[in-house]
Amino acid sequence: IQPVQVHFFLHPFSVSGRFELWDTDDPVPRAELLKKVRGVDGLLCVLTEKVDAELLDAAGPGLKVVSTMSVGYDHLSLEELKKRGIRVGYTPDVLTDAVAELTVALLLCTSRRLVEATHEAKTGGWGTWRTLWLCGYELANSTVGILGLGRIGVAIAERLKPFKVKKFIYTDVAPRPELANMINAEYVSMDELAQQSDFLTICCALTPETQGICNKNLFSKMKETSIFINTSRGGVVNQDDLYEALATGQIAGAGLDVTTPEPLPTSHPLFTLKNCVILPHIASASYTTRNAMSVLAANNLLAGLRGEPMEKELKL
Ligand SMILES: O=C(O)[C@H](O)CO
């Protein structure tokens, strides 16, 4: 499949001699999806679709493959998929550059207080030049911590290095020397990561083990001058604890591209904080990347339907 033949935002469709396309940018309503999946052989979805027992039951025993246009797969019930022998495709790698780029942008935006600064400039808060006004934290000579070192963590570090970062540290379930050597990162414990990081960037997948892992315990060990960045999944953060840490000055700032829930209600307390920058889950949102993701997801689906190896298949 060539990029030009694929819509940017493919929502679930089925292939069984024919296919059905949810041809809008809005998520398919659950009731509609449950109706449409009946009897399909394959399903291409995005991360707003919960693929659980209910949906798989609705699809029926003919479903052979689910292809998600995302690197994250916490919206898929892997246990149910495995139980039913359904193959799963996903889209790692093609979004690494876009996500790393956005993470760096969010980090700088948070640490150098860009949202506050443009607000002040626009609303009359810009008086005379003042010595400490809108001061933030710089990357030069800093320690950057990565929670969950994978392709994206490496790509973030590669982009941050030219800003003269002094040291990269990371933690994960086990050391990952092959990736760590690429960025000269040192493996540390979770406590050391919290204590030493001037910038802590969260790159781990959301799993039962990482659910709420960024909580009071972690924030209480971080420096008052540290910046917390999350572009993975909102579920890895305990948002009440993060609010507390930001509001009381336990940490200096946070940049979030992901929250729980999404969208985050505009009345959420995190929106009241000047030191919290919130983006609406746009890390992979470049035309090039979304196009590559949709092509890969479509090709994974077709390969799965043909019983061939997928370009990117999740091992269940
Ligand atoms: O999981 C993913 O793919 C990102 O969160 C969205 O592109």
Side-chain angles (χ1 to χ4, degrees):
I1 292 187
Q2 296 303 308
V4 287
Q5 293 172 293
V6 177
H7 292 266
F8 280 142
F9 301 105
L10 282 172
H11 279 266
F13 72 93
S14 66
V15 180
S16 55
R18 63 188 180 89
F19 74 87
E20 248 182 82
L21 173 67
W22 182 256
D23 199 9
T24 121
D25 221 7
D26 294 320
V28 52
R30 181 76 177 175
E32 182 91 1
L33 179 61
L34 290 174
K35 239 190 285 159
K36 296 237 186 234
V37 291
R38 221 172 285 150
V40 301
D41 301 292
L43 177 69
L44 193 155
C45 66
V46 295
L47 51 82
T48 45
E49 274 77 55
K50 214 169 158 27
V51 178
D52 54 10
E54 181 190 36
L55 186 115
L56 298 175
D57 285 345
L63 185 61
K64 294 179 196 59
V65 50
V66 170
S67 171
T68 181
M69 188 184 134
S70 61
V71 65
Y73 43 81
D74 46 288
H75 55 299
L76 310 178
S77 199
L78 299 185
E79 217 175 284
E80 291 294 332
L81 286 155
K82 187 175 178 178
K83 208 161 72 186
R84 295 159 204 247
I86 298 169
R87 293 173 66 193
V88 177
Y90 71 138
T91 62
D93 300 334
V94 292
L95 48 58
T96 299
D97 287 337
V99 173
E101 184 175 285
L102 189 283
T103 305
V104 172
L106 179 57
L107 185 150
L108 289 168
C109 186
T110 308
S111 61
R112 298 303 302 269
R113 302 171 63 180
L114 300 189
V115 175
E116 269 181 87
T118 57
H119 179 77
E120 293 294 333
K122 260 202 290 199
T123 57
W126 185 3
T128 53
W129 188 92
R130 278 169 280 166
T131 337
L132 289 178
W133 189 51
L134 285 172
C135 280
Y137 298 94
E138 64 186 55
L139 277 160
N141 286 313
S142 68
T143 296
V144 172
I146 301 166
L147 176 55
L149 187 66
R151 300 162 289 248
I152 292 175
V154 169
I156 292 168
E158 283 170 345
R159 283 158 179 77
L160 290 179
K161 198 166 183 280
F163 286 90
K164 300 189 178 170
V165 169
K166 187 176 67 193
K167 191 175 174 191
F168 290 103
I169 55 178
Y170 76 102
T171 201
D172 211 312
V173 283
R176 306 197 65 183
E178 260 175 45
L179 290 171
N181 288 345
M182 293 166 73
I183 52 168
N184 207 9
E186 183 189 329
Y187 183 74
V188 294
S189 68
M190 186 75 168
D191 278 1
E192 288 167 327
L193 189 81
Q195 285 155 0
Q196 292 177 27
S197 296
D198 296 304
F199 298 86
L200 177 55
T201 177
I202 311 304
C203 300
C204 58
L206 175 60
T207 64
E209 292 73 38
T210 61
Q211 177 85 38
I213 199 171
C214 302
N215 54 22
K216 196 181 271 191
N217 183 37
L218 177 100
F219 299 131
S220 68
K221 293 180 179 125
M222 289 173 68
K223 305 179 194 184
E224 284 176 2
T225 52
S226 61
I227 302 287
F228 176 86
I229 302 295
N230 185 14
T231 51
S232 67
R233 284 292 183 267
V236 301
V237 177
N238 179 317
Q239 283 177 183
D240 291 343
D241 291 355
L242 176 61
Y243 175 84
E244 200 58 27
L246 288 167
T248 59
Q250 198 160 59
I251 64 172
L256 311 173
D257 183 47
V258 285
T259 58
T260 309
E262 291 181 6
L264 192 66
T266 51
S267 59
H268 194 281
L270 282 173
F271 277 121
T272 65
L273 299 172
K274 282 188 176 172
N275 56 350
C276 187
V277 177
I278 300 175
L279 301 178
H281 202 149
I282 56 162
S284 68
S286 78
Y287 291 113
T288 308
T289 289
R290 288 285 163 86
N291 202 22
M293 290 167 73
S294 62
V295 171
L296 178 53
N299 283 333
N300 280 341
L301 179 81
L302 294 175
L305 287 172
R306 293 186 192 115
E308 294 168 1
M310 290 184 200
E311 211 175 306
K312 297 290 173 186
E313 181 163 358
L314 205 55
K315 299 280 164 276
L316 296 181

